[in-house]
Amino acid sequence: ISGGPGAEARDHLVSAWCNRVAPWLAFFHSQFVMCRANYRPIDRKFAIQLVVNILYYAMIAGDRHSLLITTPSIYCPIAELWLIASETRDKDVLFIDYIHPGHSRPDHLTPIRTVTAALAAECMRERPFATTMLEVAGGIDSVISAALKYVKSIRSMAQDPDIISTSLHVTLSQSVEVIIRTSEYNAAIREEYILRKSVKEIFSTLRIIQPLLHATRSMDHVLAPLISSVFHYFAAMIRDADDVISVFYQALSSRALETVVHIGPSIPLDHHLRAHIIRWVMNFLAILSHYTMYDKILTYTLKRLDALSSALDPIARQDEAFQGLWRKTERYIRVYGCLRLKEEMMRRPLPDEKGWLLQCHCNTVDDIRLMQCAGCQVVRYCSKQCQRDSWNSHHRLSCKFLKAAVGSSVPHYMKRGLSLLAGMETGMSDRDNIEELVITARRQYPQEQDRLVVELRMTETVVQPLQHYLYLFDGLSESDIMDSLSCWRDPNVHQSFLFTVIAIPDTRGQANQILFSPRIALDMEMRSDRKG
């Protein structure tokens, strides 16, 4: 098969596959690739190259369906070869001299990882192959580690001038396909990929190999499958992941937006592929405008806002719809940034106070590991003694209200974003119709006039009795809440309602999450702390 088989050799491979070639491959692989070195009569590197080449031609020989996916007996050899290629060191990596017959030049090499990634991606179409791979690897952890090693290895291979640049894009595309298929196998694998920062690794690798695209004029046949795979995986994670903010932050921090934007203008592309890229960028911006209310996303975006503007402005000048979406997103970022800054400035007046707002400011060393309160999981302390002092002085009062302000089951980045949430509450509290709604609610609930709560939603305001929001306070009764608020409040300040709550959309935009007033919760903790 050296140099690539012609039609006659291909027909022979197809006709002899089931009865002769596939059984021989399984036997040869077990005896000359997987056996112990002292029992191996030929060089293992040669054996691997021979098996991989034949498997590759079997994959491309079928007219409609690959011979591989119809032959379960070779699932195990393919899974083992995929794992072997992932473990080889860069300096010892195996090569073959082509991907497609006659395509490569003698002085350029294709990493064997490109072929094993393609073989695994092809067989992953069949669910039994995923089961075989998990069995061969010994569990989820090994499969995930190997898949991410494929992605990471592309960065080092990109530095080798003897490797065909197109093979790197094929390797990334096929590796992402393997990650997609294994993520679909079960939710545990999907979530573990997220914990291992798979989205960040994929976009970081795409950014590194992007300049190599410029070396080839016609790249649609290579770039289209790669872009499709990367976009598909990102969309699937945004749709299905438990922690969507973590997925989006990985993409954002790996400069996914800038990378994809730079692909379009710098490389001649088919208009369908270019339109596909523009749609993805607009969808990314729509998600960004929605997730800017999360402190983690806002903090990073504010740091990179000038760079994002430089990357997106050229496209915005050519597309009116794109320009409108980007200006809207940019406005959200700046407004939320200003709201958060105002809250922080009000609550941290001393210039020498550093770090997170809700932590003790004792005279301790800077690198001490702070412990968080187990109740609210918001305030942090340098020691148990500091925590006991805080509890006895004021935190006993504010703990459950802080917990109600961040929700009972929210990620850590929400707990760190109380200043932003308080700023959002301030902005929504300026609505003109609040007093009118309170007057109407007093008529509707005459027995609850002193227990009315204003619910601030993104587009509307609702006033209801306190009993509708008791679930926020972890077992506190109406009387307990009223007593706690009366102990903290200034009796000279009159308010027509008891307190506000804010309703923010969940990460998928499907429902509102109700949070107790972040402003009041912060004030209860910080003012009482200063009094103490």
Side-chain angles (χ1 to χ4, degrees):
I1 62 175
S2 178
E8 182 179 350
R10 185 191 64 187
D11 293 341
H12 176 72
L13 179 62
V14 172
S15 62
W17 174 255
C18 291
N19 296 327
R20 284 181 285 174
V21 179
W24 178 85
L25 273 176
F27 168 79
F28 187 84
H29 172 79
S30 64
Q31 297 300 314
F32 299 105
V33 175
M34 299 306 296
C35 67
R36 294 172 58 182
N38 54 332
Y39 293 106
R40 193 181 301 130
I42 63 173
D43 180 65
R44 191 189 193 205
K45 183 175 180 178
F46 167 77
I48 290 175
Q49 288 176 324
L50 180 59
V51 173
V52 169
N53 273 286
I54 296 176
L55 287 171
Y56 172 73
Y57 281 116
M59 181 177 69
I60 65 174
D63 294 331
R64 293 185 179 180
H65 301 289
S66 165
L67 297 175
L68 304 182
I69 62 177
T70 59
T71 316
S73 62
I74 53 133
Y75 284 178
C76 184
I78 291 174
E80 289 171 339
L81 288 168
W82 182 76
L83 291 167
I84 289 171
S86 73
E87 293 295 335
T88 54
R89 293 176 297 179
D90 289 340
K91 65 179 182 179
D92 297 329
V93 78
L94 299 170
F95 295 96
I96 60 175
D97 59 0
Y98 53 83
I99 298 178
H100 299 289
H103 178 72
S104 63
R105 302 191 316 222
D107 58 337
H108 281 70
L109 300 173
T110 297
I112 205 167
R113 288 190 187 126
T114 301
V115 182
T116 53
L119 294 173
E122 177 73 13
C123 293
M124 273 292 177
R125 299 180 183 181
E126 297 296 317
R127 191 173 181 85
F129 177 77
T131 304
T132 300
M133 180 177 283
L134 287 169
E135 293 174 352
V136 169
I140 291 175
D141 188 70
S142 297
V143 171
I144 293 173
S145 296
L148 293 179
K149 282 179 182 178
Y150 269 84
V151 175
K152 295 175 184 177
S153 69
I154 297 170
R155 303 173 199 169
S156 57
M157 290 191 291
Q159 310 302 319
D160 191 336
D162 291 330
I163 297 178
I164 303 174
S165 62
T166 53
S167 69
L168 302 180
H169 300 85
V170 172
T171 306
L172 180 57
S173 175
Q174 301 294 352
S175 299
V176 174
E177 283 295 326
V178 171
I179 292 174
I180 291 172
R181 300 291 182 183
T182 49
S183 297
E184 293 172 347
Y185 187 78
N186 67 39
I189 296 178
R190 180 192 68 217
E191 297 304 319
E192 187 62 27
Y193 271 125
I194 296 171
L195 290 176
R196 302 279 192 94
K197 294 182 168 50
S198 60
V199 174
K200 184 174 183 178
E201 297 293 349
I202 290 170
F203 278 110
S204 297
T205 302
L206 179 63
R207 179 164 55 91
I208 289 174
I209 67 175
Q210 177 197 330
L212 300 177
L213 288 169
H214 302 167
T216 306
R217 293 181 179 273
S218 178
M219 294 300 300
D220 288 353
H221 67 287
V222 174
L223 190 58
L226 173 58
I227 292 297
S228 178
S229 296
V230 173
F231 288 1
H232 179 189
Y233 182 63
F234 176 74
M237 293 300 99
I238 290 292
R239 182 188 66 238
D240 300 329
D242 292 341
D243 187 356
V244 184
I245 300 299
S246 178
V247 171
F248 189 73
Y249 181 77
Q250 288 181 38
L252 193 65
S253 61
S254 61
R255 303 184 185 179
L257 188 59
E258 297 98 309
T259 300
V260 174
V261 165
H262 287 151
I263 289 176
S266 57
I267 303 168
L269 298 176
D270 174 80
H271 71 279
H272 293 295
L273 182 55
R274 188 180 298 280
H276 187 31
I277 290 175
I278 295 297
R279 284 196 302 272
W280 184 87
V281 172
M282 293 185 70
N283 183 57
F284 193 95
L285 288 178
I287 298 173
L288 176 59
S289 65
H290 178 65
Y291 289 170
T292 303
M293 67 178 61
Y294 295 97
D295 190 76
K296 186 176 185 178
I297 302 298
L298 178 63
T299 299
Y300 181 85
T301 309
L302 284 171
K303 292 179 181 178
R304 297 282 306 165
L305 190 55
D306 291 339
L308 288 173
S309 296
S310 298
L312 296 173
D313 281 346
I315 302 178
R317 286 193 292 267
Q318 301 175 16
D319 190 311
E320 185 175 346
F322 185 93
Q323 184 180 44
L325 178 57
W326 168 234
R327 296 305 175 215
K328 175 184 175 183
T329 304
E330 187 178 20
R331 184 169 62 254
Y332 280 163
I333 294 169
R334 296 188 187 280
V335 168
Y336 284 139
C338 289
L339 290 173
R340 185 181 67 176
L341 180 61
K342 289 179 180 178
E343 287 292 327
E344 289 178 342
M345 294 300 292
M346 287 190 298
R347 300 175 192 282
R348 187 189 291 149
L350 301 178
D352 58 338
E353 288 187 1
K354 299 179 181 179
W356 192 21
L357 290 175
L358 295 176
Q359 68 182 44
C360 63
H361 296 283
C362 305
N363 295 322
T364 55
V365 292
D366 293 337
D367 60 350
I368 192 170
R369 184 173 182 179
L370 298 175
M371 300 174 291
Q372 70 179 13
C373 170
C376 62
Q377 298 183 357
V378 175
V379 185
R380 299 188 296 177
Y381 302 97
C382 64
S383 66
K384 290 185 178 180
Q385 182 61 48
C386 186
Q387 184 176 11
R388 280 194 293 268
D389 293 343
S390 174
W391 180 263
N392 292 329
S393 66
H394 67 278
H395 194 63
R396 182 195 305 272
L397 171 68
S398 59
C399 184
K400 290 190 177 182
F401 289 89
L402 282 169
K403 186 174 182 179
V406 296
S408 57
S409 58
V410 296
H412 64 278
Y413 43 78
M414 180 72 81
K415 297 167 186 173
R416 300 267 183 116
L418 270 176
S419 293
L420 174 57
L421 293 173
M424 292 171 57
E425 181 187 1
T426 300
M428 291 189 287
S429 297
D430 291 337
R431 296 171 182 172
D432 297 332
N433 64 336
I434 291 180
E435 289 300 325
E436 295 178 6
L437 292 173
V438 172
I439 293 172
T440 303
R442 284 181 171 179
R443 298 193 190 111
Q444 186 177 358
Y445 307 105
Q447 304 301 320
E448 306 286 345
Q449 292 194 17
D450 59 340
R451 302 187 180 193
L452 294 178
V453 175
V454 174
E455 180 180 329
L456 300 171
R457 301 176 182 175
M458 299 302 291
T459 57
E460 62 177 336
T461 304
V462 177
V463 181
Q464 299 184 98
L466 173 60
Q467 61 185 356
H468 287 80
Y469 304 97
L470 287 179
Y471 67 92
L472 297 175
F473 297 97
D474 195 22
L476 290 180
S477 66
E478 290 191 41
S479 298
D480 293 335
I481 296 170
M482 297 284 290
D483 291 343
S484 297
L485 291 175
S486 63
C487 291
W488 166 79
R489 275 191 172 141
D490 185 348
N492 297 320
V493 177
H494 175 71
Q495 186 171 272
S496 61
F497 51 89
L498 186 60
F499 57 80
T500 59
V501 297
I502 62 172
I504 62 171
D506 65 10
T507 54
R508 305 187 190 283
Q510 297 175 348
N512 283 331
Q513 184 174 17
I514 308 299
L515 304 175
F516 173 71
S517 168
R519 288 188 302 177
I520 295 179
L522 284 171
D523 286 343
M524 292 177 74
E525 174 65 26
M526 302 185 73
R527 292 182 185 176
S528 299
D529 185 16
R530 287 168 184 164
K531 290 177 183 179

